[in-house]
Amino acid sequence: MGESKIPRISVIMPVYNPGPLLIPAVKSVCEQTYSDFELILVDDGSTDGSGQICRELMQKDSRIRLIAQPNSGICAARNRGMAEMRGEWFTFCDDDDRMLPNALEKMIELAQDSSAAMVRTGYRLMRENAQGRPTELPHPAGTAMALTQEGTGKDYQNFLRQSGPQFVWNALYRRRCFGSLRFDESCRMGLEDFIFNAEVYALHPCVVYDPYATYEHLERGESTSACGNVQAVMERLSTLHLWAAAEKKAAQVWCDAGEKKLVLSCRMAEFVTFAMHQIRDGRLSRRETSFAWHMVRTALDEYRLTLFDIYRVLRQNKKRGIALLLYFTHLQGLYSCLPNREEKLLKS
């Protein structure tokens, strides 16, 4: 691609000490079946030689651009990439993940067929087991659907339910609609994707979802998406209020007064289930657990629940409804007694 040609898609990849996983991640983008893209590597102050590897990769493929900055975190790195992107569309890839071979082709086709401003797709979730080997964690794929600007609050909630956790690496965004958005740089250990996408929905776009998997996400022990340690868990929970506020703003755009209560109850179940997973898997002490739940209840103070709200959530998702009931009755510690399918898979 000549330097003067504007690429159709910008792929933004923050780079920070990924070690041997960097080259496969970059290769997964460069070998896409759709070739009209630029790959923006943002070296976020790597200390493991990744910066030099990025420079060598850039020499081999003219579609690669390299930006170097002092270590500032994944959100700042993504924001820097967004400030420099030139494509009509943009998406993201982490430096230790893999974009599946026809990801860009599939997403751009969905965008063209639907005239959507954002396209969401399925993904494969991998996590390192006790032996350090990647193990796939199966999850419900959902049903393909579109959410138009004429959609109701019920349609909005159904779209969120079908499309699953709102990550950014399995989505394609139209630059003229969302190019001015930025990631919240106070999020250093996760939740930034969910906040960003809630802000996308608050702009009332036309969006489409297809369960076809375009991305493989690996949760390593040291990755920001893994629970990891007490500090990581506490940092995530300290930004939970930002996620809750962003979701409330989006719900106000899509819902009338009658619909908003159900949508916010379902989002509340999402927050609570997330917190329960973090606290359980982070293996916090009793004192740390008590403080963590104080942080959660403070963050979610504006979300008011009744037993009827919990009943409606139970009808949509039994496990999240149970989590919400335990939270409502201050018995959240019992969540760890529920079957943990992921733990069984990782031990096998």
Side-chain angles (χ1 to χ4, degrees):
M1 182 195 309
E3 290 186 0
S4 60
K5 182 180 178 182
I6 303 300
R8 189 81 184 279
I9 301 174
S10 295
V11 181
I12 299 167
M13 181 184 293
V15 176
Y16 182 69
N17 294 351
L21 296 175
L22 174 60
I23 291 178
V26 172
K27 186 177 179 181
S28 76
V29 178
C30 292
E31 295 183 351
Q32 286 290 301
T33 57
Y34 186 86
S35 61
D36 190 5
F37 65 85
E38 65 175 352
L39 172 58
I40 303 175
L41 302 177
V42 184
D43 178 18
D44 190 38
S46 295
T47 58
D48 66 346
S50 292
Q52 178 59 32
I53 294 174
C54 288
R55 285 188 285 274
E56 293 171 0
L57 292 169
M58 184 175 63
Q59 294 300 317
K60 296 177 181 178
D61 194 322
S62 62
R63 297 171 299 181
I64 298 177
R65 299 168 59 198
L66 174 60
I67 300 168
Q69 65 178 30
N71 180 243
S72 306
I74 188 172
C75 292
R78 284 176 173 170
N79 288 343
R80 181 69 185 278
M82 291 177 70
E84 301 288 341
M85 65 186 178
R86 300 179 298 160
E88 178 186 351
W89 297 84
F90 64 96
T91 187
F92 302 90
C93 183
D94 287 352
D95 60 3
D96 54 359
D97 288 345
R98 188 167 71 95
M99 191 175 279
L100 298 181
N102 60 343
L104 297 181
E105 180 180 5
K106 178 67 175 179
M107 289 194 290
I108 202 70
E109 285 179 357
L110 287 168
Q112 291 171 339
D113 292 345
S114 63
S115 299
M118 175 177 69
V119 170
R120 300 199 60 77
T121 59
Y123 63 95
R124 296 178 63 197
L125 176 60
M126 314 293 290
R127 186 176 295 170
E128 288 184 347
N129 62 16
Q131 292 74 42
R133 293 192 299 269
T135 301
E136 184 169 3
L137 301 179
H139 59 278
T143 302
M145 69 170 292
L147 177 65
T148 68
Q149 292 178 313
E150 291 73 36
T152 64
K154 183 178 179 181
D155 297 327
Y156 174 58
Q157 170 55 27
N158 190 34
F159 186 87
L160 293 176
R161 186 160 60 94
Q162 297 300 333
S163 59
Q166 300 294 303
F167 300 112
V168 298
W169 30 248
N170 59 327
L172 184 69
Y173 304 86
R174 190 183 291 273
R175 181 184 173 191
R176 64 176 170 82
C177 297
F178 311 118
S180 62
L181 291 179
R182 292 294 183 266
F183 289 87
D184 191 319
E185 295 183 16
S186 66
C187 299
R188 303 275 298 190
M189 287 288 179
L191 291 187
E192 68 279 350
D193 288 25
F194 303 157
I195 296 168
F196 182 87
N197 279 317
E199 291 175 349
V200 165
Y201 289 120
L203 295 176
H204 205 233
C206 174
V207 294
V208 65
Y209 168 71
D210 191 297
Y212 183 92
T214 63
Y215 195 88
E216 185 175 275
H217 176 61
L218 173 64
E219 289 187 354
R220 296 183 291 156
E222 63 269 32
S223 67
T224 58
S225 53
C227 290
N229 55 53
V230 173
Q231 181 183 355
V233 171
M234 292 301 189
E235 284 208 30
R236 288 190 195 97
L237 296 182
S238 72
T239 54
L240 183 60
H241 69 286
L242 299 173
W243 182 20
E247 293 281 4
K248 190 171 185 179
K249 182 179 178 181
Q252 289 171 339
V253 171
W254 287 96
C255 305
D256 61 27
E259 297 168 325
K260 188 165 67 173
K261 187 65 172 174
L262 173 60
V263 171
L264 290 180
S265 297
C266 290
R267 303 320 290 157
M268 176 77 161
E270 186 91 9
F271 308 147
V272 168
T273 305
F274 171 84
M276 287 180 171
H277 275 264
Q278 292 290 310
I279 293 169
R280 180 196 66 191
D281 298 345
R283 293 173 169 78
L284 277 61
S285 69
R286 181 174 296 182
R287 182 177 179 181
E288 291 162 343
T289 298
S290 177
F291 182 68
W293 279 113
H294 172 73
M295 292 171 67
V296 172
R297 292 188 181 277
T298 300
L300 305 181
D301 184 59
E302 291 187 7
Y303 281 71
R304 303 296 181 181
L305 285 174
T306 66
L307 285 173
F308 181 65
D309 297 327
I310 296 171
Y311 168 73
R312 293 203 291 177
V313 174
L314 273 165
R315 292 183 62 185
Q316 292 204 12
N317 187 301
K318 185 177 294 185
K319 188 170 184 178
R320 286 181 184 165
I322 291 172
L324 202 55
L325 179 61
L326 292 175
Y327 177 83
F328 182 78
T329 56
H330 290 258
L331 296 172
Q332 58 269 4
L334 295 178
Y335 185 78
S336 60
C337 299
L338 297 178
N340 187 345
R341 184 185 61 176
E342 294 179 357
E343 189 173 34
K344 291 180 180 178
L345 285 170
L346 295 172
K347 285 182 177 180
S348 61

